[in-house]
Amino acid sequence: MEKLPAKTVERLSEYRRTLINCKENGKEYIYSHELAQLHHKTAVQVRRDIMLMGFSGIQRKGYKVKEMIDAIGRILDCKNGQNVGIVGIGHLGTAILQYFTGKRPKLRVVAIFDVDEKKTGREINGVPCYHVDTIPEVVERENIDLGIITVPPKFAKETAEGLINAGIRGILNFTTVPLNVPEDVYLEEYDMITSLEKVAYFARG
Amino acid sequence: MEKLPAKTVERLSEYRRTLINCKENGKEYIYSHELAQLHHKTAVQVRRDIMLMGFSGIQRKGYKVKEMIDAIGRILDCKNGQNVGIVGIGHLGTAILQYFTGKRPKLRVVAIFDVDEKKTGREINGVPCYHVDTIPEVVERENIDLGIITVPPKFAKETAEGLINAGIRGILNFTTVPLNVPEDVYLEEYDMITSLEKVAYFARG
DNA sequence: ATTAAATTGTTAATTTATAAACAAAAAGAT
DNA sequence: ATCTTTTTGTTTATAAATTAACAATTTAAT
Ligand SMILES: NC(=O)c1ccc[n+]([C@@H]2O[C@H](COP(=O)([O-])OP(=O)(O)OC[C@H]3O[C@@H](n4cnc5c(N)ncnc54)[C@H](O)[C@@H]3O)[C@@H](O)[C@H]2O)c1
Ligand SMILES: NC(=O)c1ccc[n+]([C@@H]2O[C@H](COP(=O)([O-])OP(=O)(O)OC[C@H]3O[C@@H](n4cnc5c(N)ncnc54)[C@H](O)[C@@H]3O)[C@@H](O)[C@H]2O)c1
């Protein structure tokens, strides 16, 4: 199936988060303009995204929340789910781990890796923590597809290489060290400083 | 002065990070294609961004690293700097605080806020931690412009309102709770789940 | 029944972002 | 000196993303 535009994929993920919330609050239907307002987007944009993923609403009633959650799931989720490993379980790694637990059944954090012996060999937040040296075996055995890198900067490169050699398909990198990945590995990076500098720039007149 | 496109601003921030690194490694000049490669961008894009900010290189020699860092500073940095407050100093807040310290002299984290009495009333990472109830006074007194929200979700809304009432100009929100801000407050949001779902989507064929 | 209002779905237009093309300048090679 | 190569700077073209426009449908009101 043809891939959707990256921007649409991002928004679908965001819409789903909101829809799950709506569902928990007992909301059955939602209008495009409601969803738009919650995301500071236009209603047209929302409808266009929904159209692109091949879902339909009911005129004058809006979109069925439950069905739309499922429709987004058919786009974003892999049928049998995808397994995730986090490397470097310090402040940021722990924040991510906690944030993830229980949120997305199809995106399972099944392993975390560190070098600190106070952390390895036990479970943190219900997830086993392994020594980084075991990345090859564990990634293979646990069928880990995606890696999140939250190690100190100077270990970022070797961590990425380790994950890639172990057969990972996608990386989310929070160290702000430039990484080189082969074509068939998808790389996403995020830097809070960039976000804050953007806020700083646009916040002043 | 006219604002640059948001995408260009983001890239300038990223370029600067890399340039600072280059400078520390004693690199004096950099070519557009080198900078491009480090950021998985094209050389044309890099040159265009540089052109948009009104900076010039030297033909066949590239861009002077030190001068370009300064030029980006003239775009991104406020003359007298901007002060930042972080609200909610748990795992994520601490990760951000540590990550920031010392990195951007013009973007100073001058206060952190929490409700936990084990944290308030002392310094964390060299930054005083105040009780959230004192946001109005502290924001005023310390001349805080920008706020980062890393509180538990259910307190996100009131935190944002508190910051806005205290006169903040920009917010970086890591709780994934929809916020409403007045027109003159710039809001940026980030969700790691969205990033990872994007990686998951594009990482599979 | 008829009309009016609200809302979706889709096409068309516009705007923004990226890439291509190429002139100009500098450095080095012949 | 002249030519070739490399690299910047800028314009032009292409592509992507967003917004506008509007037809179609449903519901409610008169
Ligand atoms: N991009 C961003 O927005 C952003 C924000 C905050 C932090 N960071 C970066 O994220 C990383 C982690 O930040 P943090 O605050 O959690 O740091 P931290 O020091 O709290 O945690 C780092 C963890 O990595 C472990 N570690 C060290 N070497 C390792 C190795 N070779 N392999 C595996 N694990 C190893 C440590 O034992 C520790 O548990 C740092 O690189 C930091 O600069 C990025
Ligand atoms: N957007 C993302 O990518 C992302 C990732 C991880 C976590 N999060 C979110 O960030 C937030 C913080 O995550 P965390 O892992 O650091 O949680 P945490 O529990 O470790 O930290 C929360 C902190 O907020 C403090 N706090 C509680 N109520 C407060 C209030 N009313 N005012 C000020 N401070 C208060 C607590 O004392 C604690 O120190 C959560 O909302 C979490 O969901 C977002």
Side-chain angles (χ1 to χ4, degrees), chain B residues 31-32 47 51 56-57 59-60 62-63:
Chain B
Y31 295 127
S32 59
R47 292 205 298 275
M51 183 186 88
S56 289
Q59 279 190 348
R60 288 231 18 166
Y63 302 89

Side-chain angles (χ1 to χ4, degrees), chain A residues 99, chain B residues 88 90-92 114-115 119 132 150-153 155 174 190 192:
Chain A
Y99 180 58
Chain B
H91 280 291
L92 185 57
D114 209 296
V115 285
K119 294 173 179 171
V132 279
T150 50
V151 297
F155 302 113
F174 286 99
Y190 177 73
M192 287 160 197

Side-chain angles (χ1 to χ4, degrees), chain B residues 127-140:
Chain B
V127 179
C129 183
Y130 304 94
H131 194 278
V132 279
D133 291 346
T134 65
I135 284 182
E137 302 104 84
V138 178
V139 165
E140 164 94 36

Side-chain angles (χ1 to χ4, degrees), chain A residues 3 15 22 26 32 34-35 46 54 57 64 71 78 80 83 95 100 114 120 134 139 143-144 152 175:
Chain A
K3 290 280 173 191
Y15 299 157
C22 288
S32 59
E34 290 178 300
L35 201 43
V46 170
K64 250 197 150 156
C78 206
N80 302 311
N83 294 332
F100 256 84
D114 209 295
T120 57
T134 65
V139 165
N143 194 25
I144 297 178
T175 77

Side-chain angles (χ1 to χ4, degrees), chain A residues 35-47:
Chain A
L35 201 43
Q37 211 222 331
L38 292 166
H39 291 275
H40 310 107
K41 302 267 143 64
T42 67
V44 182
Q45 175 112 87
V46 170
R47 292 205 299 274

